[in-house]
Amino acid sequence: MNDFVFQNKTKIIFGKDSEERLASLLTPYNSRVLLVYGGGSIKESGLYDKIVSMLNDNGIKFSELSGIIPNPRLRKVYEGIELCRSENIGFILAVGGGSVIDTAKAVSAGVRYDGDVWDFFEGKAELQACLPIGVVLTIPAAGSESSPSLVITKEEGLLKRDYSHNELRPQFAIMNPELTYSLPFYQTACGISDMLAHIMERYFTKTEHVDVSDRLCEGLMRAIISNAKLVKQNPDDYNARAEIMWAGTLAHNDLIGMGRETDWASHAIEHELSAVYDIAHGAGLSIIFPAWMKHVYREDEERFVQFAQRVMDVEFPNSMVYETIMEGISRLENFYTCIGLPTRLSAVGIDSSRLEEMAKKANSCGRFKRLDASDIYKIYRLALE
Ligand code: NZQ
Ligand code: ZN
């Protein structure tokens, strides 16, 4: 096991009606709030009205940055930075999912930086100061509610890039599973795929003696798979929604990755897809992850057998190593299919025309196996049909 330091400052307020605690969480900051949200789901569900009433009733002044789209764009970040400066904002409240939260984080990082906020994503600057952020989570998926990371797409050149800094972890995350009942099942499924991927990016490691975090990963993956099926049967199953929501946070708050090297190639390869084709991140991952597995399993067959046996319940004889590995991957694909997600590029209308270009852009990623552009191209080809 590798050495590590673990600290996660995000206070989680979890459960029914937990959004009612919002005003008391904001009051100590005693500042004008920037309310950030997406395309309208919070207005349809009534959450927007509820939050606005709470802010008004408690004398908390606020401005709004709305219309954040999935795979959020840099233009909105610039708009938010201008708003924060002109309206003297002291706290950013993100109400939504990863796209909204990541925009809030980028705005938070940019407000007190004199240069272009994109510098952070290009490794040209390190964060020195930022505004505090709070979250009301409406979709369990990206784990951004307590992660230090953010992912933004620059329109020019369609560059989807990430940045990470511990100071960008939200101060609090309000998580009421009931707020997720209104999600279309496809969005729920995309979220489930993303959280599974966050676990697998950590699970497939070359670090030895990581029993505790292996078991945490395996338990989480099993719980996600079984509760996903329950949510599919009954979208209003509170307990299943709660399990999925909590799993999404645990998948990406860094706890399960401590002491082990992590990979992140599948994410880098997927980010090129969602930048160029604007597909949902989770749907891109259900296509890329199995293809990545088929390309890299020879790096550590034992680990892939362990995944097949402990997570996917494959019980072939010990001598059938290759068959066990392939059956594990095939059961993962069947799970994605069972929750309505694609497992091939052709299923989302993507052909081979831009694979080479994307492979070059994602060049040099991954740690379980270091991948160059030619590896990445092979992975896209494996994902094609
Ligand atoms: O915009 P609205 O109208 O709110 O609709 C959203 C959006 O269309 C909808 N939605 C959210 N909550 C809802 C709802 N619809 C009905 N009822 C609700 N309760 O869901 C759609 C997707 O929202 P989005 O925020 O894009 O989803 P997600 O949380 O999956 O975030 C995806 C983004 O996060 C990035 C991804 O790359 C992608 O850009 N990631 C961020 C990470 C991080 N910060 O740590 C890590 C991840 O690996 C990921 O890369
Ligand atoms: Zn992800």
Side-chain angles (χ1 to χ4, degrees):
M1 198 193 298
N2 298 337
D3 297 346
F4 66 87
V5 174
F6 178 69
Q7 185 171 21
N8 187 324
K9 68 176 174 188
T10 308
K11 178 175 184 171
I12 306 286
I13 303 96
F14 192 99
K16 291 180 182 169
D17 299 324
S18 46
E19 66 278 10
E20 315 247 315
R21 309 254 300 269
L22 180 61
S24 65
L25 289 158
L26 288 173
T27 307
Y29 294 95
N30 193 25
S31 46
R32 191 175 178 92
V33 168
L34 181 68
L35 173 61
V36 186
Y37 58 95
S41 73
I42 68 163
K43 290 201 170 160
E44 278 160 38
S45 68
L47 180 61
Y48 173 84
D49 287 341
K50 199 171 177 183
I51 286 176
V52 165
S53 305
M54 260 187 282
L55 296 176
N56 287 333
D57 292 349
N58 288 276
I60 300 169
K61 301 265 184 295
F62 65 97
S63 307
E64 296 188 23
L65 178 68
S66 64
I68 309 304
I69 56 171
N71 299 320
R73 305 299 199 273
L74 185 58
R75 188 176 51 79
K76 274 282 169 194
V77 175
Y78 291 141
E79 193 182 319
I81 292 171
E82 284 312 310
L83 257 175
C84 285
R85 288 177 181 158
S86 63
E87 311 213 356
N88 198 20
I89 299 289
F91 192 94
I92 305 179
L93 178 65
V95 183
S99 299
V100 168
I101 304 166
D102 288 2
T103 302
K105 287 178 175 176
V107 171
S108 153
V111 174
R112 294 187 177 152
Y113 176 63
D114 288 339
D116 183 345
V117 67
W118 191 250
D119 289 351
F120 293 112
F121 299 86
E122 290 197 324
K124 292 182 185 162
E126 247 325 272
L127 188 80
Q128 303 296 334
C130 59
L131 292 184
I133 303 160
V135 171
V136 180
L137 187 66
T138 64
I139 168 171
S144 188
E145 66 276 8
S146 82
S147 84
S149 321
L150 62 157
V151 192
I152 297 290
T153 299
K154 184 178 185 172
E155 296 85 342
E156 196 191 337
L158 289 175
L159 299 172
K160 188 170 182 181
R161 296 287 178 268
D162 60 352
Y163 178 65
S164 196
H165 196 289
N166 254 324
E167 286 302 315
L168 292 171
R169 288 186 201 264
Q171 304 297 123
F172 63 79
I174 290 175
M175 296 170 52
N176 176 359
E178 291 172 316
L179 297 178
T180 69
Y181 290 168
S182 58
L183 277 167
F185 188 73
Y186 183 71
Q187 285 298 343
T188 302
C190 285
I192 286 164
S193 160
D194 194 16
M195 58 185 83
L196 269 183
H198 293 161
I199 300 166
M200 294 190 292
E201 296 277 21
R202 293 169 165 100
Y203 188 74
F204 291 101
T205 183
K206 290 254 175 90
T207 312
E208 291 181 353
H209 229 297
V210 283
D211 293 348
V212 170
S213 47
D214 266 2
R215 295 293 186 176
L216 287 172
C217 290
E218 289 155 2
L220 271 176
M221 286 190 273
R222 295 182 67 91
I224 290 168
I225 290 169
S226 57
N227 283 283
K229 291 174 184 164
L230 295 177
V231 171
K232 190 183 170 205
Q233 278 161 20
N234 176 12
D236 292 349
D237 180 336
Y238 176 83
N239 284 313
R241 287 282 190 186
E243 304 277 11
I244 293 290
M245 198 173 207
W246 186 218
T249 304
L250 292 172
H252 203 42
N253 76 349
D254 286 338
L255 177 73
I256 62 170
M258 287 300 116
R260 54 201 293 147
E261 191 174 64
T262 55
D263 187 68
W264 300 104
S266 300
H267 266 71
I269 298 170
E270 192 295 311
H271 282 167
E272 297 309 328
L273 274 185
S274 44
V276 173
Y277 293 101
D278 206 17
I279 59 170
H281 175 58
L285 286 166
S286 62
I287 295 168
I288 295 300
F289 232 108
W292 174 85
M293 289 170 146
K294 289 170 199 165
H295 186 72
V296 306
Y297 75 89
R298 286 182 204 87
E299 289 290 307
D300 187 349
E301 294 191 342
E302 216 177 298
R303 181 150 284 277
F304 273 87
V305 166
Q306 181 179 300
F307 171 79
Q309 291 176 337
R310 292 191 193 168
V311 183
M312 293 295 161
D313 290 331
V314 179
E315 289 179 343
F316 293 174
N318 286 345
S319 57
M320 295 173 69
V321 171
Y322 175 77
E323 290 81 359
T324 299
I325 292 170
M326 288 304 141
E327 181 64 15
I329 299 172
S330 161
R331 288 189 192 186
L332 177 66
E333 289 181 324
N334 289 344
F335 169 70
Y336 290 140
T337 305
C338 151
I339 59 169
L341 291 177
T343 57
R344 297 291 184 275
L345 291 169
S346 53
V348 289
I350 296 177
D351 62 19
S352 59
S353 56
R354 299 185 73 175
L355 301 186
E356 252 184 85
E357 170 198 337
M358 292 190 295
K360 279 184 192 147
K361 275 165 80 188
N363 184 31
S364 191
C365 59
R367 293 194 184 122
F368 184 72
K369 176 178 167 66
R370 193 78 194 153
L371 304 175
D372 61 18
S374 82
D375 287 302
I376 297 166
Y377 181 71
K378 283 180 197 150
I379 291 171
Y380 283 134
R381 297 283 327 178
L382 277 169
L384 208 49
E385 274 159 19

